[in-house]
Amino acid sequence: MAFLTVAERTIAYRDSGEAALPAVLLAHPLGMSQDVWEDVVAALRGRFRCVTWDLPGHGASSGLTEAVTPRALAEDALALADALDVTRFHFVGTSIGGVVGQQLLIQCPERLADVVLTNTGAVIGTPDNWYARASRVRQEGLAAMADEIVPRWFSEAFAQGDTATYTGWKTQLARTDGESYARLCEMLADTDFSGQLRGVAGPVRLLGGREDLSTPPETLKTLASQFGDARLEVLENIAHVPSVEVPEAIAKRLRAWLGDEHVDENGVSYAAGLETRKQVLGDEHVARASENATTLDAPFQNMITRMAWGELWGNDDLSRTERSMITLAVLAALGRDGELELHLKTAQRIGLSEAQLRQALMHVAIYAGVPAANHAFSMAKKLGWGKTL
C-alpha cells in the first residue's frame, strides 16, 4: 500500500504498477474499502494496471473534517491518476464509487476510456433516509449499526454460505471513521445527476444485482435511461457488492468490456493492433517503425500490427506477462538478439518480475541449450535485470 496527500488529506492506494498496460481505476462502496477489489484485481493482473484507493475515512485514508462533494471525490481520483502518470484510464465504480464515475463522466470525459458502473444510480435512496442515517451514525456509531447496514450489501445465500467474509466486513465497517461516513451520507442526500448524463462521451456499461436493496434494478434502469445508450446487465441472486460475492464473474466481464476489441471484416482492426503495439513496445518505438516504413515494407508493418499485436498480443487467453515470457524464451532459443533486447526492455515496462524472467530462461537452458540461455542472461544483466549478490 502507498499513500498520497491531496488537499491536506492522505489517500491510501494500491497500484499494480504495470506502466505499459491499460490503466483501470476501481472505486469501492460506502462503508467498505479498496479490499473489495482484491480478488478482481488478482484476476486482471497482467492484462491491466489496476489502481484502487480508500475513500476518505475508509480503510487507511484520513478522514473528512468538512462537507464533501462528488467533485471533490473525483478530484481525488484524478490526483491519483496524475501522480501515477496515467493520462487516460478505464473506470469501475460500485455504489458511491459509481457516483464518482458519473462525476468524472460529466467533469472530464476526455480522461476516460471505458466506464463500468455497478449497483449505483443517478440518485441513490432518498435525502431524508441519508440525513437520518448520518444523524444516527454520529449518535450511535457504525459498530452499533453494522447489523443493520451490512445485510444490505450481500445476498442471504452469500451471508449464510461465507460467514467469515460476512463477519469480516462488519468489522471493517465498525472501523470506518463515523464522521467521514456521515458526511458521505449527506453528500449522497444532495447528489442528483438526473439530466446531466445524456450524451456523455465514451462507452458506459451498467451492472446491478437482482437482490440489491440499496440500488435495485429499477434504479439501474433509470440510470441507463439517463445515458440514453448505456447497456445494463442484472446479475441474478446477487446483492449490492458483486466484486465480493462473485469476483470471478466480475473479472470476466471486465476483461471483455474494458477496451473491447474492434473487429472488422478482416479480423482485429489495424487501429486495435496499433494501440496494443504502443502499449507493449512504447509510443517512441512504434513511431520510429512507422516513420521508417517505405513502400517496400509498409504492408509488412500493417500485417504484423494486425496479426502479431491485434490477433496475438490482443487475445485475452493469456496475459501480457505470460506472452512476454513465451516471446523471450523463443527469441533466446533462436538467438534473435535484436528482438530479444527489445523484448527484455518491454518485459520491464509491462511488469514482468525477475523471477518470471529467470524461469523463462531456465526453460531455455533445459530445452534449447545452455549457451542460448547463458547469452540471454548476459543480455538481460546488461539491461539492468538482477541485483548484485
Side-chain angles (χ1 to χ4, degrees), residues 45-200:
R45 190 172 300 279
R47 295 175 171 86
F48 297 95
R49 178 184 186 179
C50 295
V51 179
T52 62
W53 73 102
D54 290 322
L55 291 172
H58 292 60
S61 288
S62 61
L64 294 168
T65 57
E66 57 187 14
V68 68
T69 64
R71 176 174 285 273
L73 297 184
E75 291 294 343
D76 286 352
L78 293 173
L80 184 55
D82 291 342
L84 298 175
D85 293 322
V86 174
T87 302
R88 197 161 184 262
F89 52 88
H90 302 296
F91 184 89
V92 182
T94 296
S95 190
I96 195 173
V99 171
V100 177
Q102 292 171 70
Q103 178 64 42
L104 288 170
L105 282 164
I106 295 168
Q107 182 176 334
C108 54
E110 72 282 356
R111 297 289 300 269
L112 301 174
D114 298 281
V115 173
V116 179
L117 306 178
T118 94
N119 307 81
T120 191
V123 178
I124 300 177
T126 67
D128 287 347
N129 285 343
W130 284 120
Y131 285 128
R133 183 181 292 191
S135 177
R136 286 187 59 198
V137 168
R138 291 187 174 106
Q139 294 173 10
E140 303 173 31
L142 284 169
M145 297 179 65
D147 286 334
E148 176 182 337
I149 295 173
V150 174
R152 299 175 65 84
W153 293 350
F154 305 114
S155 66
E156 184 176 351
F158 180 84
Q160 294 179 352
D162 192 344
T163 55
T165 298
Y166 181 80
T167 302
W169 281 111
K170 287 172 65 175
T171 301
Q172 177 63 56
L173 175 63
R175 291 175 176 172
T176 300
D177 177 58
E179 181 60 25
S180 297
Y181 185 100
R183 289 187 182 275
L184 289 168
C185 288
E186 291 165 344
M187 184 201 81
L188 290 173
D190 297 336
T191 298
D192 185 347
F193 288 119
S194 300
Q196 301 180 57
L197 299 168
R198 187 171 296 276
V200 298

Side-chain angles (χ1 to χ4, degrees), residues 59-357:
S61 288
S62 61
L64 294 168
T65 57
E66 57 187 14
V68 68
T69 64
R71 176 174 285 273
L73 297 184
E75 291 294 343
D76 286 352
L78 293 173
L80 184 55
D82 291 342
L84 298 175
D85 293 322
V86 174
T87 302
R88 197 161 184 262
F89 52 88
H90 302 296
F91 184 89
V92 182
T94 296
S95 190
I96 195 173
V99 171
V100 177
Q102 292 171 70
Q103 178 64 42
L104 288 170
L105 282 164
I106 295 168
Q107 182 176 334
C108 54
E110 72 282 356
R111 297 289 300 269
L112 301 174
D114 298 281
V115 173
V116 179
L117 306 178
T118 94
N119 307 81
T120 191
V123 178
I124 300 177
T126 67
D128 287 347
N129 285 343
W130 284 120
Y131 285 128
R133 183 181 292 191
S135 177
R136 286 187 59 198
V137 168
R138 291 187 174 106
Q139 294 173 10
E140 303 173 31
L142 284 169
M145 297 179 65
D147 286 334
E148 176 182 337
I149 295 173
V150 174
R152 299 175 65 84
W153 293 350
F154 305 114
S155 66
E156 184 176 351
F158 180 84
Q160 294 179 352
D162 192 344
T163 55
T165 298
Y166 181 80
T167 302
W169 281 111
K170 287 172 65 175
T171 301
Q172 177 63 56
L173 175 63
R175 291 175 176 172
T176 300
D177 177 58
E179 181 60 25
S180 297
Y181 185 100
R183 289 187 182 275
L184 289 168
C185 288
E186 291 165 344
M187 184 201 81
L188 290 173
D190 297 336
T191 298
D192 185 347
F193 288 119
S194 300
Q196 301 180 57
L197 299 168
R198 187 171 296 276
V200 298
V204 176
R205 284 186 180 265
L206 306 178
L207 190 65
R210 184 70 65 190
E211 297 187 28
D212 188 351
L213 300 177
S214 300
T215 52
E218 285 303 319
T219 298
L220 272 294
K221 290 178 183 177
T222 300
L223 178 58
S225 70
Q226 292 293 317
F227 285 106
D229 60 353
R231 287 174 283 183
L232 167 63
E233 179 182 358
V234 177
L235 299 176
E236 300 296 331
N237 306 313
I238 301 300
H240 192 57
V241 193
S243 61
V244 174
E245 287 204 52
V246 284
E248 302 87 355
I250 299 306
K252 180 180 179 180
R253 284 164 173 78
L254 294 182
R255 287 196 297 268
W257 293 346
L258 302 183
D260 284 340
E261 290 182 346
H262 301 286
V263 181
D264 58 24
E265 65 275 11
N266 297 312
V268 177
S269 71
Y270 175 85
L274 184 64
E275 181 62 26
T276 300
R277 191 178 182 186
K278 289 178 178 179
Q279 290 168 358
V280 176
L281 298 181
D283 290 344
E284 292 183 4
H285 174 85
V286 176
R288 284 196 302 272
S290 299
E291 291 169 1
N292 293 332
T294 68
T295 54
L296 175 65
D297 66 343
F300 169 75
Q301 292 292 332
N302 187 299
M303 180 187 70
I304 62 173
T305 298
R306 279 180 175 273
M307 295 182 63
W309 299 106
E311 299 284 354
L312 191 62
W313 280 82
N315 184 281
D316 197 43
D317 291 341
L318 295 175
S319 70
R320 289 184 183 174
T321 51
E322 290 169 335
R323 292 194 186 280
S324 178
M325 293 175 69
I326 294 170
T327 303
L328 290 169
V330 172
L331 293 174
L334 295 176
R336 302 290 195 261
D337 283 10
E339 286 289 305
L340 178 58
E341 179 177 351
L342 170 64
H343 279 274
L344 282 167
K345 294 177 180 177
T346 293
Q348 292 174 314
R349 294 183 70 251
I350 66 175
L352 194 73
S353 70
E354 181 180 318
Q356 288 173 316
L357 174 62

